[in-house]
Amino acid sequence: MRLKNKSLLKSSIIISLVLSSLLLVLHPTSSDYTKKDFVINNDSKELLDLESDLYFNGSISVTVTTGDSINATVNGVKKEIALDETKTFEINNSSTVYFVISSYGYSQGFYELELDLYSTSGNPITTTIGILAAFILAISVVSFYLRARKIAKENEEEDEELADPETVRKRKEAAGAEKKFWGLDDK
């Protein structure tokens, strides 16, 4: 019986882990890495204007390789970037990415874009799998706890049955004497 309980617990945990990993696989994510060059001369350039129902996380690194310094703005955060300097903009949980550069002279450089998309909305498939995994795990834990208590009680009863017959006889005699002393004996 103990072997069956352990195999049930192990199989339930394995099923829960498989369902949990399915959540990661079915979670709509995509990763994008891009390196692009830019050339700017006394003007402004809009390099990115992204808007989505999904949320962006990642960074944009801007490097000036030739010419004058530039001003880069990502989602309202503005930084001045000088020659041979790299500045990084962090993007955290934003549904828009707006990236503009401007210069008062001739400048060349590149930017590296690394963005991850993720959804915070509840996908019905992932929600169902998550609830199913949690339900199986909860049932496994409760089942294990109840069976462990049952086995503990059976072990106590077995201990008493396996006790020395002489000890069992003495216990019965002592219990009878106590009943007689307190007047609980029916005889």
Side-chain angles (χ1 to χ4, degrees):
M1 178 140 177
R2 286 185 185 181
L3 182 63
K4 183 180 175 186
N5 292 338
K6 288 182 181 179
S7 65
L8 176 66
L9 178 66
K10 287 178 184 176
S11 61
S12 298
I13 289 174
I14 289 171
I15 290 171
S16 297
L17 290 173
V18 167
L19 290 174
S20 299
S21 33
L22 269 176
L23 288 174
L24 296 174
V25 171
L26 293 176
H27 194 66
T29 5
S30 65
S31 184
D32 185 24
Y33 174 79
T34 307
K35 182 178 179 181
K36 290 193 178 181
D37 295 326
F38 63 83
V39 175
I40 189 166
N41 191 10
N42 283 331
D43 62 349
S44 285
K45 270 192 182 176
E46 180 182 289
L47 298 175
L48 286 174
D49 187 7
L50 305 173
E51 192 168 330
S52 176
D53 292 338
L54 301 174
Y55 289 88
F56 298 101
N57 277 325
S59 63
I60 298 176
S61 298
V62 183
T63 305
V64 176
T65 55
T66 306
D68 296 327
S69 61
I70 65 166
N71 289 319
T73 305
V74 175
N75 289 351
V77 178
K78 188 175 187 177
K79 294 182 182 180
E80 185 175 339
I81 305 166
L83 181 63
D84 294 330
E85 187 177 40
T86 301
K87 297 249 176 132
T88 302
F89 296 88
E90 295 295 324
I91 300 167
N92 293 317
N93 299 330
S94 177
S95 60
T96 60
V97 176
Y98 185 70
F99 177 35
V100 177
I101 59 172
S102 60
S103 175
Y104 294 109
Y106 178 80
S107 299
Q108 274 185 315
F110 63 90
Y111 67 92
E112 295 174 286
L113 173 68
E114 190 167 344
L115 286 179
D116 291 328
L117 285 173
Y118 74 94
S119 172
T120 57
S121 63
N123 183 349
I125 294 172
T126 57
T127 304
T128 304
I129 291 174
I131 290 171
L132 184 61
F135 180 72
I136 289 174
L137 186 62
I139 295 254
S140 305
V141 169
V142 169
S143 172
F144 179 74
Y145 176 73
L146 292 175
R147 290 177 190 228
R149 285 188 55 192
K150 182 178 176 183
I151 288 172
K153 285 181 183 178
E154 287 176 1
N155 286 343
E156 288 175 7
E157 291 171 3
E158 287 175 6
D159 288 345
E160 196 165 304
E161 289 175 7
L162 296 176
D164 182 30
E166 183 66 24
T167 307
V168 173
R169 185 184 61 76
K170 286 182 181 179
R171 283 185 187 167
K172 287 182 182 177
E173 284 179 6
E178 187 177 355
K179 282 183 181 179
K180 196 173 198 180
F181 176 77
W182 290 107
L184 299 174
D185 195 14
D186 291 337
K187 293 180 184 179

